[in-house]
Amino acid sequence: MQAENPSSGTGSAPLGTTNPSLKAFRPAGRGFWHDVSEADWSDWRWQMKHRITTVEQLKNFLPTLTPEELAGAQLANTKLALGITPYFFNLIDSADENCPIRRQVIPRIEESTTAPWEMSDPVGEDSHSPVPGLVHRYPDRVLFLVTDRCARYCRYCTRSRLVSNASGYDFHPEYDKQIAYIAAHPEIRDVLLSGGDPLLLSDEKLENLLSRLRAIPHVEFLRIGTRIPIFLPQRITPELCAMLKQFHPLFISIHANHPRELTTEVRDALGRLADAGIPLGNQSVLLRHVNDDAEVMKAHLQKLLRCRVKPYYLYQCDLIAGSAHLRASVSRGLEIMEQLRGHTTGYAVPTYVIDAPGGGGKVPINPEYVLCRNAGRVLIRNYEGKIFEYPESADGQPCGQPPKEIAEPELV
Ligand SMILES: *Cc1c(COP(=O)(O)O)cnc(C)c1O
Ligand code: SF4
């Protein structure tokens, strides 16, 4: 730890100099689909129907496909399906092999390499599953998997074993059993719908599911984890928002990793959700050559606030099989966090967590701000590396005791 010089190491620009191209909201553009009618383009079902799912299509649309990507794409359908909506495809910079959007969605041959510590179920969900499709890891809340489908598949997905069904996991949620379990466990006050992507269900199906959960008296709080507002902002229709609005308190966590994902279409879709009174959070995954840079991350988080979204979690990338090429180190993550707290709006700062391998749940990790805690005092440092002392006392006692003489503090 470097208390004296917390900003060393990342080489990033100081606050306020963030690259304007990272900050700007732009439409995704039409690209190859310029002759599609406006009605079709803005229809989410059209977008889903025209997803890029085969290697041949990918070669056509992305002539700059590298040998590593081509080999990855050829293997993709045995592991995690390819599936990119035209809207999202247009965010790829075809001239840039290292485009941060491209790295998230185009498979690479490195996915077929599995390190010894990588797993197909890295956070031990299956072992905390009392009924299929329900993960009950924490005392008062459950994760409710509603589908194995997503609008597009992220190459680092923790649930690769399950989503897209390419690896034969054969996921069939049974809502009746999942709901019966929740109803029978009065300690469950918070239900998190995820998947796969819950917003891929039809409005009717989702409404039915939410109504059944709302009918359980001890379920106080509902939330949905979804990447749809990012992949398929067209899905966020006024009808969907009006339906969701009936189920408050309902929160939504989106999943965006790079400021270029926040287009004008996405900003408007998020605005519609926020106007329906839905508090919005974001979960990002720290990804190598995507957002493992303090300037990019800061621009992303600030842009999320402009979309009325509070950054919630920044995840250390789970140890999912074949994800090493996308994983940034914990030290890198800590360096980035160091550049955020104090340097920018507190609302923009997510909690950086490791979802403990094997099933320990999310554990927050932070740069160290408490330098020493002993003999009647706490020694802290601020974001600038300046050191301060706060007197410690027994709970409820006046802090009047002068700090005892102590040796030079040891940095923890
Ligand atoms: C992340 C997660 C939750 C929700 O955790 P919060 O910290 O409350 O957001 C619940 N259950 C499981 C299994 C999870 O992975
Ligand atoms: S949207 Fe979420 S569940 Fe779906 S592939 Fe991406 S990370 Fe996995």
Side-chain angles (χ1 to χ4, degrees), residues 150 152-154 156-159 163 195-197 227 231 255:
C150 295
R152 190 215 77 182
Y153 297 102
C154 316
Y156 52 86
C157 175
T158 293
R159 290 192 200 110
V163 295
D197 205 309
R227 247 201 127 167
F231 289 159
H255 170 178

Side-chain angles (χ1 to χ4, degrees), residues 2-6 338 371 381-388:
Q2 296 161 304
E4 331 68 51
N5 185 10
E338 179 79 65
L371 304 181
R381 74 166 171 92
N382 75 354
Y383 73 104
E384 301 162 306
K386 292 186 182 145
I387 296 181
F388 301 87

Side-chain angles (χ1 to χ4, degrees), residues 5 60 62 89 166 254 352 376 380-381 409:
N5 185 10
N60 270 337
L62 195 62
F89 180 85
I254 63 161
Y352 180 33
I380 52 177
R381 74 166 171 92

